[in-house]
Every structure is written in C-alpha cells, then in structure tokens.
Amino acid sequence: MTEYGDRFAAAVAEELRAQKARVGKTNDEIGEEVGVSPVTVLRYLKGQRQIPVDVLGDLCKALGADAGVIMQTALFKASSSPVASAASQLEKVIGRKIEVEKAAYRDDNKQAESGRSEDVD
C-alpha cells in the first residue's frame, strides 16, 4: 500500500473507533452483528488489518455510522500533509489570540467610554 493508502486506512479506522466510543458498543457486540470475531473487530479498529469494503459497510451499519461520512472524513485527514495540519493548528491558535485581543480592546474602550461619561456629569 502507498503512504497515502496507509494514512487513509488509518483514518478510516480512527473514525470507526470514534463512532464506537460514541455509541458505546463492545467488540463482542460489533463482531456478532458483523459476523467476525471480536479480535478481528479490534484489529480492524486499530488499523492492524485492512477492512474489506463489504465489512466496512457492515461495521458502519453496526455502529450506526454513515459510510460516506466516514470515508469523506478519512479522505480529508489522509489528504492533509503534516505541514498543512501544522498550519491549520497555527491558524486556529492565531485566530483565538486575535479574538482575545479584540475582546480586550472592546473592554478597554468600554471602560474608557464609561470613564468619560462619568467625567462629563
């Protein structure tokens, strides 16, 4: 498998694990619904074993997940390079800092305006 394929498969497994946590099902329950052993479910969800397409559909059904959403999210994660991911995180941090600074600026202006209105009285 290519590097991209490995990232995509890992992202699919990650999304399935997240969905499993949301619904609170055990590997035993999922395995019974899908028709595989709990150990196989564990290996699929840890990315230790490739998930055949038909099994992916069954896993999504057992977890109440939309396979299209799982695949689209995995596609996005696999397509993001480490540099793009770091840049995205940096943008979030900078964006938060700017919002904090704007709020502080507004607060300072409100205090200054209220101080002026008291001086006028």
Side-chain angles (χ1 to χ4, degrees), residues 46-63:
K46 283 190 163 191
Q48 296 172 343
R49 186 170 178 182
Q50 290 186 13
I51 305 172
V53 173
D54 59 330
V55 176
L56 176 62
D58 291 339
L59 285 168
C60 288
K61 183 178 178 188
L63 294 170

Side-chain angles (χ1 to χ4, degrees), residues 31-101:
E32 188 173 315
E33 289 182 52
V34 174
V36 298
S37 74
V39 172
T40 299
V41 172
L42 176 69
R43 290 180 179 148
Y44 287 149
L45 299 186
K46 283 190 163 191
Q48 296 172 343
R49 186 170 178 182
Q50 290 186 13
I51 305 172
V53 173
D54 59 330
V55 176
L56 176 62
D58 291 339
L59 285 168
C60 288
K61 183 178 178 188
L63 294 170
D66 182 322
V69 172
I70 296 288
M71 300 296 277
Q72 189 170 18
T73 304
L75 175 67
F76 175 76
K77 287 181 176 183
S79 297
S80 297
S81 71
V83 172
S85 180
S88 175
Q89 291 298 321
L90 184 59
E91 285 176 355
K92 288 179 186 175
V93 169
I94 290 170
R96 285 188 200 121
K97 182 172 172 134
I98 289 170
E99 290 304 315
V100 167
E101 289 177 3

Side-chain angles (χ1 to χ4, degrees), residues 100-113:
V100 167
E101 289 177 3
K102 283 181 184 176
Y105 178 77
R106 284 191 299 268
D107 289 345
D108 288 346
N109 282 341
K110 285 180 185 175
Q111 289 175 356
E113 287 176 8

